Amino acid sequence: MIQYHCLNPISERGLELFSKDYQKADQLEGVQAVLVRSADMKEMEIPASVRAIARAGAGVNNIPLDKCSEKGIVVFNTPGANANGVKELVLAGMLLASRDIVGGIEWVERNEDLEDIGKVAEKKKKEFAGCEISGKKLGIIGLGAIGALVANAATHLGMEVYGYDPYISIDAAWNLSRSIHHARSLEEIYSQCDYITIHVPLVDDTRKMINKASISQMKDGVVILNLARDLLVDEEALVEALENGKVKKYVTDFANPVVAGVKNTLVTPHLGASTEESEENCAVMAVKELRDFMENGNIKNSVNFPECNMGICVAAGRVAITHENVPKMISQVANTLGNAGINIADLTNKSRGSNAYTLVDVEAPVPQDILVQLAEIPGVTSVRAVK
């Protein structure tokens, strides 16, 4: 029986995909798989029994990846599962920033007792008029699952779309509308666009990428949208740009003391993926990833280990080994199995940075003492008999 634990509420649409061979546990201790959304795992003591963690969402900054890699724990995420929910909030953010819809609604609420509110509203409406987004230039930084959806949708709204992503995948490129202008640099996005939206992961190179220097290159009256990660923007510099009029509006999905209540900001409480559909999609993808890993040893959408797929095992057994990406590892594994009289039917070895993963199909079941010998090979971080 494989036990799993949910650190956050996970949609039943996903959990119902677990077979009778899985059991939900009330505590973390002793489980083999973990499902998480926003719970902070960085200070948690992760039990030695854990083999996989699935984040029902894209960002994994709440998971200690280095610690997991050292223990041979494969960390999955669900890229693209919540993309449509975020895309729709980006579009809503652009519209709300362009026309002062929120200000107009609040004015009506404050003056609801006026007997002639209709006549007064006709005189006041010019204060909330704003502009249309059709014909404006939208710059998208990052053309992954979310950025590509935003780009295509914006073209249908009549916007001229500029996209920048030096690491764009072939699949993402194929999914983009032909009308999208591929910017060659961030400077081109900054200097040309009326609206700029960010859709990149938070890494050292992107931390505070929107800062005083980059804002100075932007058009006066630019609208900036950040529904990716709050630390992508130097918000102190952004607030200063709002106050001096360089930036017209700032739309962010991350409430914090720096931006909450600041004039010309639209701050939502992390609503990007908080739709019923997004939560269901993420849960379904996360459970499918966990099941394929636990039952077949296959890895898809891991953020710390390489992709690896050997399908369903048809041999007598399969062993999954996580290890450091070092020389002579495969020969040591083969020798250990060979010395035990176990013949290898098939083998796949993949690497990702300093981490590597090996799946071995064998022609006889691997006894526990041989699994222990494999685990004792220097550089091996975990060993598991899949079948």
Side-chain angles (χ1 to χ4, degrees):
M1 184 69 69
I2 299 172
Q3 290 193 313
Y4 69 92
H5 178 67
C6 300
L7 290 172
N8 296 104
I10 303 295
S11 170
E12 286 297 323
R13 179 81 177 273
L15 298 184
E16 66 187 14
L17 296 179
F18 280 123
S19 70
K20 57 180 174 41
D21 297 322
Y22 292 79
Q23 182 180 57
K24 187 176 183 180
D26 294 330
Q27 58 186 18
L28 194 59
E29 192 64 36
V31 305
Q32 291 78 50
V34 177
L35 286 135
V36 62
R37 290 176 61 199
S38 58
D40 190 349
M41 299 185 67
K42 289 187 175 179
E43 302 302 322
M44 288 183 185
E45 186 60 39
I46 302 175
S49 60
V50 174
R51 289 289 175 262
I53 298 170
R55 161 76 163 96
V60 290
N61 54 312
N62 58 324
I63 301 172
L65 296 182
D66 289 344
K67 184 191 299 185
C68 289
S69 296
E70 290 170 3
K71 293 185 173 185
I73 299 172
V74 179
V75 179
F76 298 91
N77 69 346
T78 58
N82 58 14
N84 190 69
V86 179
K87 175 206 77 177
E88 291 186 358
L89 194 61
V90 171
L91 298 178
M94 283 198 294
L95 293 167
L96 291 172
S98 302
R99 306 177 70 173
D100 192 7
I101 299 169
V102 174
I105 292 171
E106 291 175 344
W107 181 88
V108 173
E109 290 176 347
R110 289 194 304 269
N111 294 278
E112 60 181 339
D113 295 329
L114 290 176
E115 290 185 5
D116 57 347
I117 187 170
K119 291 182 179 180
V120 178
E122 286 297 322
K123 297 177 181 179
K124 292 288 292 185
K125 67 181 183 181
K126 61 179 178 293
E127 296 181 17
F128 313 110
C131 65
E132 298 177 13
I133 64 174
S134 180
K136 303 300 189 300
K137 292 180 179 179
L138 169 65
I140 301 175
I141 303 173
L143 293 167
I146 297 170
L149 287 180
V150 172
N152 291 339
T155 63
H156 295 299
L157 294 173
M159 302 189 80
E160 187 177 345
V161 179
Y162 287 63
Y164 175 77
D165 191 335
Y167 308 108
I168 186 171
S169 68
I170 294 174
D171 287 342
W174 275 108
N175 290 328
L176 284 173
S177 167
R178 291 183 180 181
S179 63
I180 294 167
H181 175 78
H182 294 273
R184 296 182 179 274
S185 66
L186 285 171
E187 289 72 21
E188 186 176 357
I189 294 283
Y190 297 151
S191 64
Q192 295 296 316
C193 296
D194 306 296
Y195 298 79
I196 297 173
T197 181
I198 320 163
H199 299 286
V200 297
L202 177 62
V203 295
D204 289 341
D205 289 343
T206 61
R207 186 179 299 271
K208 294 190 176 182
M209 63 181 296
I210 302 298
N211 50 42
K212 189 169 185 177
S214 57
I215 291 171
S216 69
Q217 300 176 54
M218 298 178 187
K219 298 172 69 173
D220 291 344
V222 66
V223 173
I224 300 174
L225 301 99
N226 175 21
L227 281 79
R229 288 288 177 267
D230 54 349
L231 294 179
L232 295 171
V233 176
D234 180 346
E235 293 187 327
E236 286 81 4
L238 194 285
V239 169
E240 181 181 340
L242 285 166
E243 291 173 346
N244 63 34
K246 176 68 175 181
V247 176
K248 177 184 176 182
K249 295 276 187 178
Y250 178 49
V251 181
T252 179
D253 202 22
F254 308 100
N256 62 60
V258 177
V259 296
V262 172
K263 187 178 180 181
N264 292 322
T265 62
L266 294 170
V267 185
T268 51
H270 207 185
L271 299 179
S274 296
T275 65
E276 182 179 345
E277 293 86 352
S278 287
E279 291 180 6
E280 288 181 352
N281 292 340
C282 288
V284 167
M285 185 181 290
V287 170
K288 287 182 177 179
E289 291 166 350
L290 283 178
R291 285 199 60 176
D292 197 20
F293 176 72
M294 298 305 301
E295 297 168 26
N296 303 309
N298 297 324
I299 295 178
K300 183 178 182 181
N301 295 328
S302 171
V303 296
N304 62 337
F305 280 91
E307 301 268 315
C308 185
N309 190 340
M310 284 182 62
I312 298 173
C313 180
V314 294
R318 176 175 288 180
V319 178
I321 306 170
T322 61
H323 55 89
E324 297 172 3
N325 186 17
V326 294
K328 299 183 179 180
M329 181 60 69
I330 303 306
S331 61
Q332 293 182 80
V333 169
N335 288 338
T336 301
L337 293 172
N339 292 338
I342 299 171
N343 193 44
I344 294 175
D346 197 4
L347 180 148
T348 297
N349 171 257
K350 303 287 185 180
S351 63
R352 178 174 182 172
S354 60
N355 297 328
Y357 186 65
T358 300
L359 274 182
V360 187
D361 282 1
V362 290
E363 295 182 351
V366 180
Q368 181 61 36
D369 63 316
I370 304 304
L371 293 175
V372 172
Q373 289 183 36
L374 290 170
E376 290 174 347
I377 296 174
V380 169
T381 50
S382 74
V383 175
R384 179 170 65 97
V386 179
K387 177 182 177 182

